[in-house]
Amino acid sequence: MPLVRIDHSDARSNSTEIAGAIHDAIVAVYGIPVRDRFQVITSRGAATIVAEDAGLGFDRTDPVIIQIFTQRGRTDEAKQTLYAEIATRLGAVGVAPEDVFIGYVENGPQDWSFGFGRAQYLTGELAVPAAPVSL
Amino acid sequence: MPLVRIDHSDARSNSTEIAGAIHDAIVAVYGIPVRDRFQVITSRGAATIVAEDAGLGFDRTDPVIIQIFTQRGRTDEAKQTLYAEIATRLGAVGVAPEDVFIGYVENGPQDWSFGFGRAQYLTGELAVPAAPVSL
Amino acid sequence: MPLVRIDHSDARSNSTEIAGAIHDAIVAVYGIPVRDRFQVITSRGAATIVAEDAGLGFDRTDPVIIQIFTQRGRTDEAKQTLYAEIATRLGAVGVAPEDVFIGYVENGPQDWSFGFGRAQYLTGELAVPAAPVSL
């Protein structure tokens, strides 16, 4: 946790950098362990991603769709800081700010098993992140 | 928002039409902006999709799996109208009603960033949809 | 329901067995109908999956990422039993226990349409699972 799905067009050749930048942003803002990293990255034909502007009035070049599944408990402020940090760090690897789309889905500590069929936040093998988290 | 994941077999050659029909149904029923469109579409081998009948007693030909991530607040009636509209519009592009599978996942206004690392429902750049929505 | 997304590396050649084992575990623990099976399975380059150890102190060989979307109402105990059963059954088809990663996301009975544009848990065509479920 978090589990992050990343979808971008195959016009981008730096999937590894993109995924790394997103993870670094989460570590920096949420303070999770560096090895608390779970990502599924799909490079795909540009036509298989549709990302318009929701009426905000801008154009995208080559969108990166980021979907973050993680535990509830972060404040709105923490999330906003995270989104900004993701955009900043993606900028450093060639993703323009208008191309960064993020959706966030929450669950609880009982909703993760990191291996061995155990729910490590319930067994106490992993500490549950404090909630709510304020910055 | 919504972010919609669409998975169908590569026996279907009209991904673009299918994705368009689903979006048109959401616009028609929920009244979202036409450009509030975010979709990730995967055409894949038929064997990579398993969709049985949940015990309802029918057979599928070539299922289309639709997963809708969007804000909470819609009534059951609104959702039911949406599902019906999706099935109707997909019928017009060759998807039989028994092949339409929909799963829906909810989150909040703080859970979206449409670009620039900002949470536009919190900044006021976008209006939060009224909740609950009744038809 | 449940809708299960399974992502594994293309070094594994037994997607069908893996998907079957996961479904069998859900049927065994949650008592859902055998044909209540909805899965999207992606075999992909190993570099497109990142799954570290969250700080637990172990190495993975070839992770299998399992994301379960299903109705809320199961107890923590039921979920823990499910995770253990998934790991056990995956072990029988060659997935080591350290390679089993599970994330779980919940919704409600109104959030599913199994076909025909209907919400079958609301229409009464399908019985809503009892909640909470205890074992």
Side-chain angles (χ1 to χ4, degrees), chain B residues 104-119:
Chain B
Y104 197 107
V105 176
E106 295 181 327
N107 63 5
Q110 64 276 56
D111 294 323
W112 299 96
S113 175
F114 294 88
F116 308 97
R118 293 202 294 270

Side-chain angles (χ1 to χ4, degrees), chain A residues 1-3 5 16 19 23 33-43 69 72 105-108 110-123 125-126, chain C residues 5-7 44 47-56 58-60 65-67 69 76-77 79-80 82-85 87 97-106:
Chain A
M1 190 223 57
L3 174 62
R5 293 192 181 275
T16 302
H23 183 64
V34 171
R35 288 182 59 81
D36 192 1
R37 180 174 175 180
F38 304 92
Q39 299 179 310
V40 178
I41 308 137
T42 306
S43 176
F69 297 89
R72 63 181 64 86
V105 176
E106 295 181 329
N107 63 6
Q110 64 276 58
D111 293 323
W112 299 96
S113 175
F114 294 88
F116 308 96
R118 295 200 294 270
Q120 283 89 354
Y121 290 120
L122 298 185
T123 62
E125 292 166 88
L126 288 175
Chain C
R5 293 192 181 275
I6 304 165
D7 290 86
R44 47 172 65 246
T48 69
I49 297 177
V50 181
E52 298 185 342
D53 71 349
L56 286 163
F58 65 89
D59 292 315
R60 299 183 200 270
I65 306 291
I66 303 161
Q67 197 173 22
F69 297 89
D76 290 1
E77 291 69 28
K79 291 179 184 180
Q80 288 178 288
L82 176 63
Y83 303 156
E85 187 72 16
E98 63 268 25
D99 284 334
V100 181
F101 178 89
I102 305 169
Y104 196 107
V105 176
E106 295 182 328

